[in-house]
Amino acid sequence: MTALLKAELSRLAYLLAAFAVIGWFANSTVSFLFVALAVYLGLHLRNLHKLHHWLKSNPQDYPPELTGVWEDIAQNIYRLQKKEKEAQLNLMGIIQRARESVSALDEAIVLVDGYGNLEWWNSAAERLLGFKDGTDHGKAITNLIRDPAFIRFFEKGTAKDALKLPSWIQANHYLQYEITRFGDNDRLLIAYDITRLHQLEQIRKDFVANVSHELRTPLTVLSGYIETFIDNDEFPARINRAFCQMQQQTKRMSNLVNDLLLLSRLESDNIKQEAKPVNMTNLLEQLRQEALAYDPDKQHAIMVHIDSPLQLMGIENDLRSAFSNLITNAIKYTPACGAITIRWSNDEKYAYLSVQDNGIGIEPQHIPRLTERFYRVDAARSTATGGTGLGLAIVKHVLLQHKAILNISSKSNVGSTFTCVFPKSALV
Ligand code: ADP
């Protein structure tokens, strides 16, 4: 039994005893006991009333004067309230500091509620996104940033995605958006100014495209002359061998220049071509014929399986380049008399173009880096086979434009399978 309860019970006992004695003298013990109970109840009700009044009107003030167990209860409530107030002040301080630091950021931070309406933003958001304090509160963010790409990103984007768009506030400025979902479909939007990065990227792209373009003419002239002089009986064998090597190297340089130009074109955002249905049966049969002619000495068995009636919506020439790169790689990296299978198939969600070979395969540590430009597992072997180191980078970019991804599975000395996975939206 707690001390409080003991004290309360002894208080009741004294009261009952006192009234019982008076009642005994007045010859009415039972009635006096009832009176004692009524007094006791009355006292409790009075305390209860005071406590209620205090809690209702001024709970922050010191509690009123109470008796017995009620005094203890009031003191406990008062202590708890004081603690909670301190914790609240502490929390508000932390929130205030967090707000101040978020406001000082260069990145725009925007809180959007579950209905897509603006809830809070920092000062960088006013500068970068043009939100106005006072007027834009509670407005739908998609009414303010109306770019369809942003609306799609806002509806479906995840923390892993990032969207790059021209600024709708400042000309020639670029912003990158990132989104994080939390709570009940609430969203935290972060926007960065990436103009400088974009400019540098553009300079790099332009430089590569211009250099490649400028190299084209001299290379054409050189190969023209080499073509004329090669295998000419007037020259000694030594000179002819030199011409042969010159022809090989100019061919390599032409391949490199062509691949670089193709990559530049694929990277540039301005040239958007219209997607059209691509007849996969025809395309893959053409590619098979080209593959048979690519290195006939190797006598590979090259098979095409069309297991899906679906057509691909896309840019046929780019898709041809990508698939052709995968097929020529399979030919290059498979020893003579190998088997190469090209398959077009689909399931409920995706369509797959896979190129499977039983060639030299790739060690697992190289696989994540294969689509980087100029990354080669074995540079000497790649150069010997006429590779530029850009083939898989081209494949990656073409697939990116078709919202597809490249899966690579391979085992050293067993073979490799490169699979292009196309989403439903790219199929008809
Ligand atoms: P490359 O012009 O060197 O072939 P790619 O970008 O096409 O450049 O390929 C990058 C590297 O990936 C190649 O150098 C090669 O080592 C490896 N690779 C690509 N395809 C295959 C394959 N089918 N089998 C084995 N290795 C491959």
Side-chain angles (χ1 to χ4, degrees):
M1 204 184 292
T2 62
L4 201 75
L5 199 60
K6 269 187 195 162
E8 195 55 39
L9 283 175
S10 61
R11 202 170 295 133
L12 178 62
Y14 282 133
L15 193 73
L16 287 174
F19 273 76
V21 171
I22 300 169
W24 188 73
F25 282 116
N27 224 357
S28 175
T29 314
V30 177
S31 314
F32 270 80
L33 280 177
F34 272 114
V35 173
L37 284 175
V39 169
Y40 184 72
L41 190 67
L43 279 173
H44 274 296
L45 286 175
R46 193 163 153 264
N47 278 319
L48 190 65
H49 171 72
K50 277 185 173 180
L51 184 74
H52 180 249
H53 182 70
W54 169 62
L55 284 175
K56 221 175 141 189
S57 49
N58 298 313
Q60 314 294 342
D61 289 355
Y62 196 74
E65 230 173 81
L66 299 169
T67 54
V69 70
W70 295 102
E71 189 185 4
D72 239 75
I73 292 173
Q75 285 297 339
N76 279 339
I77 293 176
Y78 183 64
R79 259 200 307 278
L80 280 176
Q81 278 201 48
K82 239 170 108 176
K83 257 194 191 163
E84 199 186 293
K85 206 171 160 194
E86 274 167 22
Q88 238 178 37
L89 281 174
N90 225 342
L91 206 67
M92 271 162 65
I94 293 172
I95 292 174
Q96 185 58 24
R97 275 217 308 280
R99 280 197 173 196
E100 277 168 15
S101 52
V102 169
S103 293
L105 286 175
D106 279 341
E107 290 86 12
I109 311 281
V110 185
L111 267 177
V112 186
D113 67 17
Y115 302 101
N117 298 331
L118 292 176
E119 209 170 287
W120 181 88
W121 57 86
N122 65 355
S123 46
E126 296 181 8
R127 191 167 27 85
L128 294 176
L129 304 172
F131 296 162
K132 286 184 202 76
D133 205 8
T135 55
D136 289 342
H137 246 277
K139 280 191 184 166
I141 189 167
T142 45
N143 278 350
L144 297 171
I145 309 178
R146 288 162 176 265
D147 193 306
F150 177 82
I151 296 175
R152 268 198 307 277
F153 171 74
F154 182 73
E155 298 302 339
K156 299 220 173 92
T158 65
K160 279 188 238 148
D161 307 323
L163 176 74
K164 201 172 112 182
L165 280 182
S167 163
W168 56 288
I169 298 286
Q170 287 169 285
N172 300 324
H173 273 248
Y174 286 82
L175 298 179
Q176 177 159 310
Y177 297 92
E178 281 166 25
I179 209 160
T180 303
R181 287 165 201 276
F182 65 99
D184 196 8
N185 202 26
D186 295 327
R187 277 158 273 199
L188 179 77
L189 182 80
I190 305 176
Y192 313 79
D193 189 333
I194 50 155
T195 310
R196 180 85 192 114
L197 205 71
H198 178 83
Q199 282 166 346
L200 289 173
E201 248 318 73
Q202 202 53 48
I203 291 169
R204 179 190 64 79
K205 284 180 196 169
D206 290 349
F207 176 78
V208 174
N210 290 340
V211 169
S212 314
H213 194 75
E214 290 303 322
L215 281 172
R216 244 185 172 178
T217 321
L219 269 173
T220 317
V221 175
L222 273 178
S223 23
Y225 277 117
I226 293 168
E227 196 85 22
T228 320
F229 292 132
I230 208 160
D231 289 334
N232 192 325
D233 295 339
E234 289 170 26
F235 298 128
R238 192 166 48 89
I239 304 281
N240 267 333
R241 270 201 307 279
F243 274 128
C244 267
Q245 274 189 8
M246 282 160 79
Q247 192 184 38
Q248 269 173 16
Q249 294 306 320
T250 42
K251 177 95 184 81
R252 239 191 98 207
M253 273 180 84
S254 296
N255 287 344
L256 198 61
V257 165
N258 287 338
D259 278 359
L260 281 172
L261 279 171
L262 178 57
L263 259 180
S264 299
R265 187 177 62 70
L266 289 170
E267 270 187 339
S268 83
D269 306 327
N270 358 347
I271 311 162
K272 286 258 179 283
Q273 296 181 56
E274 209 191 318
K276 293 196 179 120
V278 177
N279 183 323
M280 292 300 282
T281 313
N282 289 351
L283 177 63
L284 294 184
E285 192 42 47
Q286 282 167 22
L287 286 172
R288 192 178 97 92
Q289 294 307 326
E290 285 170 21
L292 286 170
Y294 183 79
D295 193 351
D297 294 345
K298 276 194 164 175
Q299 298 189 335
H300 289 319
I302 303 176
M303 288 150 290
V304 173
H305 294 285
I306 306 284
D307 297 339
S308 166
L310 296 175
Q311 293 189 349
L312 203 50
M313 274 303 276
I315 321 289
E316 181 157 351
N317 276 343
D318 293 350
L319 289 167
R320 177 194 297 276
S321 301
F323 301 158
S324 164
N325 271 316
L326 294 180
I327 298 168
T328 41
N329 275 351
I331 297 172
K332 285 191 299 190
Y333 301 108
T334 301
C337 300
I340 294 161
T341 309
I342 306 158
R343 191 181 297 276
W344 173 239
S345 59
N346 76 286
D347 60 20
E348 276 164 21
K349 281 190 174 167
Y350 304 101
Y352 308 90
L353 183 285
S354 65
V355 179
Q356 185 181 19
D357 65 56
N358 58 354
I360 59 170
I362 306 156
E363 302 270 352
Q365 71 271 24
H366 297 292
I367 292 180
R369 300 195 57 191
L370 288 183
T371 54
E372 286 174 24
R373 281 158 208 228
F374 299 114
Y375 186 85
R376 288 126 156 180
V377 174
D378 179 343
R381 195 199 297 259
S382 163
T383 312
T385 54
T388 60
L390 293 172
L392 292 180
I394 290 174
V395 174
K396 186 178 122 181
H397 270 86
V398 171
L399 294 188
L400 215 66
Q401 289 210 334
H402 290 80
K403 299 190 172 49
I405 53 164
L406 179 68
N407 280 343
I408 306 171
S409 73
S410 186
K411 211 168 174 194
S412 205
N413 296 321
V414 176
S416 316
T417 306
F418 287 75
T419 309
C420 311
V421 184
F422 292 92
K424 245 184 176 173
S425 56
L427 304 166
V428 275

